Amino acid sequence: MDTDARKAADRLLEVYRTGEPIDPLTPEHPDASIELAYRIQQLQVEEWTLGGDVVKGHKVGLASRAIQRQMGVNQPDFGHLTASMFHLEHQPIAAERFLQPRIEPEVAFMLGRPLTGPGVTVAEAVRAVDFVLPALEIVDSRIRDWNIGIFDTIADNASSGGVILGSRPVALNDVDLRLAGCTLHIGGELVATGAGGAVLGSPLNALVWLANTVGPMGVTLEPGHVVLPGSMTRAFPVRPGDSIVAQISGLGSVTAVLDTKEEQ
């Protein structure tokens, strides 16, 4: 398995260097397991950390029915968030960092205690959350034209791209995440509305799913790490020059600005 995983991981890593998307991996691995896809993902994470990047959290992808319908899949997945993926709100983000970016509004969990599955309950997840923030995730794909299945997106680190966190922390008991409404504006235009309940019934359910999924792989969700539980709306393409604002009731707003200039 590792030979196949290494070859696929090297192909994806090359995309980060060249900026040229590749064809889907699925036709080359028609009978491959989800386990192989996660191994491909992990090999890339290992390369990034060897190069000096640091894992700062995880994301749950494909958590809402809207996203699953949009992507043609029927189950969630997860990816790694590294330090280089985090950007400050209101500060220009070089659009050339991304190949075919889309934006998703989310709630971000900041963990204050470790979560180790399997067997994590909602009660334990609540106790582990230090605070929540409004967030925007830039999803991206190293697969040409977003022509992906579940194997492709898992192997491609759950189509991760970038994270922008809001700056107003809110205690979990001060907001009902299931009922929290969301609006998403791009360039001043309202493009979508959503609610926390779209994310597996509650963003907390996504946190529990993540802890119980990564636990058998030997992964603990660590204190100080960020967890993105999934998008409250479907994903929308964004372009250089776009200003994106997500407003989440009870949490406030978060703003991302895509620039055309290379980061200094």
Side-chain angles (χ1 to χ4, degrees), residues 12-218:
L12 288 165
L13 288 166
E14 184 67 13
V15 177
Y16 289 93
R17 291 186 283 267
T18 66
E20 292 295 329
I22 60 174
D23 290 332
L25 300 171
T26 302
E28 300 175 16
H29 307 274
D31 301 315
S33 64
I34 295 299
E35 180 185 10
L36 175 60
Y38 279 119
R39 180 60 182 150
I40 295 167
Q41 179 185 137
Q42 185 61 45
L43 287 171
Q44 293 170 85
V45 175
E46 290 172 5
E47 286 292 322
W48 297 332
T49 56
L50 284 172
D53 215 344
V54 180
V55 174
K56 289 291 186 178
H58 292 81
K59 61 160 285 186
V60 177
L62 310 173
S64 73
R65 288 300 303 160
I67 293 291
Q68 289 179 6
R69 285 193 298 268
Q70 186 178 12
M71 294 291 101
V73 300
N74 60 6
Q75 60 182 298
D77 67 352
F78 74 86
H80 291 71
L81 302 176
T82 65
S84 64
M85 297 179 187
F86 285 80
H87 306 277
L88 294 175
E89 68 167 337
H90 299 290
Q91 300 302 306
I93 304 166
E96 61 194 46
R97 291 175 59 96
F98 310 103
L99 300 178
Q100 34 196 358
R102 297 176 176 178
I103 202 77
E104 297 180 349
E106 308 198 23
V107 171
F109 294 112
M110 173 61 76
L111 299 184
R113 299 186 183 189
L115 275 178
T116 305
V120 169
T121 65
V122 168
E124 290 169 315
V126 168
R127 188 173 60 177
V129 175
D130 195 5
F131 55 84
V132 292
L133 295 166
L136 286 164
E137 183 185 2
I138 301 173
V139 292
D140 200 5
S141 183
R142 272 53 61 178
I143 308 299
R144 187 174 291 111
D145 299 325
W146 280 93
N147 184 20
I148 59 174
I150 189 69
F151 183 90
D152 298 290
T153 187
I154 290 174
D156 189 24
N157 194 31
S159 303
S160 298
V163 182
I164 303 93
L165 299 177
S167 53
R168 177 176 174 263
V170 175
L172 192 56
N173 61 357
D174 288 339
V175 60
D176 187 340
L177 294 182
R178 298 168 305 161
L179 302 180
C182 168
T183 59
L184 180 66
H185 288 80
I186 299 176
E189 178 186 355
L190 177 65
V191 297
T193 61
V199 183
L200 294 183
S202 167
L204 276 167
N205 290 342
L207 177 58
V208 171
W209 176 88
L210 177 65
N212 289 329
T213 299
V214 301
M217 302 179 187

